[in-house]
Amino acid sequence: MKYGRFLYNGEIKHGMVDGDRVIELLGTYLDEPAVPTDRVYRLEDVKWLAPVEPKQVIAIGLNYVDHAKEQNKPLPKEPMMFMVSPSAIIGPGESIRLAKPTHRIDYEAELAVVIGKKAHRVTEAEALDVVFGYTVAIDVSDRDLQARDGQYTRAKSYPTYKPIGPFVATDVNPRNLSIKLTQNGVTKQDGHTSDMVHSVEKIIAAVTEVMTLEPGDVILTGTPAGVGPLHPGDDVAATIEGIGTLQVTVL
Ligand code: MG
């Protein structure tokens, strides 16, 4: 099943995608159980928003071998986690605004985990039980600031630097998904989640060993090789098998 948040007649609603229609839910899709209403819309008549408004966004760095190589960085032995500001999130169809246009600012297509249950000290064996589903993210990264700061918060937290969406898919296997990114129609990233260094289960165990996650929190799981700079006017589309395509532009 695929879920999302959308705007219809100026109101924010949660819905469940059913073919070319969306069924409005009572409350949010993170409620258990999600309760469908009898209000149904055509997909093209609604504006999709970022599918969640997380309180915490955690990201994992250098989680694909080929990407670590292209960055000339050693592979982390444990999931290398950092926080980014939830205020950086935008939804599908919105625009990334390059805050420091003279810097090198890269796209990174990533599988994003949406947490469904309060989670602290979860084992790898239990990890997928606290997942609600998966969405697509683009981890926009200012390389100049990353190099200058020696850490990632500032480089990755400017407004609009975390596009996510369009949907949260619940029935996908996070170990077996193609992940692609095109820039102006040209394929730049063409990876597969089976090439992750640390699995989603291991990442969730590592993150929740430190902090308590709440429903709606998001973990970005790292990017495959092929990252490159964004330019004003770019049209960027990240696609993950079974989830959908997250399309954004660059200003
Ligand atoms: Mg990243």
Side-chain angles (χ1 to χ4, degrees):
M1 198 54 78
K2 289 183 191 178
Y3 298 90
R5 281 168 74 233
F6 62 94
L7 202 57
Y8 184 80
N9 270 350
E11 272 182 69
I12 294 175
K13 300 169 183 291
H14 285 240
M16 184 166 72
V17 177
D18 177 26
D20 58 356
R21 309 174 314 154
V22 53
I23 300 166
E24 184 181 335
L25 300 172
L26 210 59
T28 89
Y29 60 81
L30 290 166
D31 296 340
E32 261 191 285
V35 181
T37 68
D38 55 9
R39 291 183 290 278
V40 178
Y41 313 88
R42 292 189 309 175
L43 286 192
E44 65 260 36
D45 291 342
V46 309
K47 177 181 166 23
W48 293 98
L49 305 171
V52 276
E53 296 183 290
K55 292 202 184 82
Q56 303 185 89
V57 180
I58 299 95
I60 305 298
L62 304 173
N63 199 32
Y64 288 77
V65 176
D66 290 350
H67 172 61
K69 270 190 201 150
E70 74 181 356
Q71 299 294 102
N72 290 316
K73 300 257 176 71
L75 281 181
K77 291 205 170 56
E78 299 173 274
M80 195 270 283
M81 69 186 81
F82 54 94
M83 307 290 294
V84 293
S85 174
S87 63
I89 285 180
I90 56 171
E94 294 193 54
S95 296
I96 298 164
R97 280 178 280 116
L98 302 178
K100 309 265 182 202
T102 59
H103 290 187
R104 173 158 170 161
I105 303 170
D106 284 358
Y107 53 78
E108 297 184 346
E110 307 201 8
L111 176 71
V113 178
V114 177
I115 296 297
K117 291 188 183 129
K118 186 169 183 163
H120 183 57
R121 299 188 74 89
V122 173
T123 65
E124 283 184 49
E126 301 162 331
L128 296 188
D129 298 342
V130 306
V131 174
F132 179 81
Y134 303 88
T135 191
V136 184
I138 302 173
D139 180 17
V140 177
S141 304
D142 183 319
R143 301 297 183 211
D144 291 44
L145 293 179
Q146 245 177 280
R148 199 188 295 175
D149 291 352
Q151 57 107 317
Y152 298 171
T153 304
R154 179 162 70 142
K156 292 173 180 264
S157 291
Y158 281 93
T160 74
Y161 278 20
K162 290 296 159 283
I164 60 171
F167 307 122
V168 181
T170 53
D171 301 324
V172 294
N173 176 356
R175 287 173 178 271
N176 191 28
L177 301 171
S178 66
I179 174 166
K180 292 183 172 40
L181 180 138
T182 64
Q183 184 177 31
N184 305 318
V186 178
T187 299
K188 297 288 185 173
Q189 294 189 277
D190 188 0
H192 203 270
T193 59
S194 58
D195 294 326
M196 281 187 189
V197 176
H198 301 295
S199 67
V200 165
E201 293 92 326
K202 189 163 180 190
I203 289 168
I204 290 169
V207 170
T208 66
E209 203 236 323
V210 182
M211 61 193 93
T212 303
L213 299 180
E214 301 282 348
D217 284 347
V218 169
I219 305 174
L220 274 55
T221 58
T223 195
V227 303
L230 293 165
H231 308 288
D234 278 352
D235 190 324
V236 179
T239 302
I240 299 181
E241 190 180 356
I243 302 174
T245 296
L246 170 63
Q247 183 272 331
V248 292
T249 53
V250 181
L251 295 180

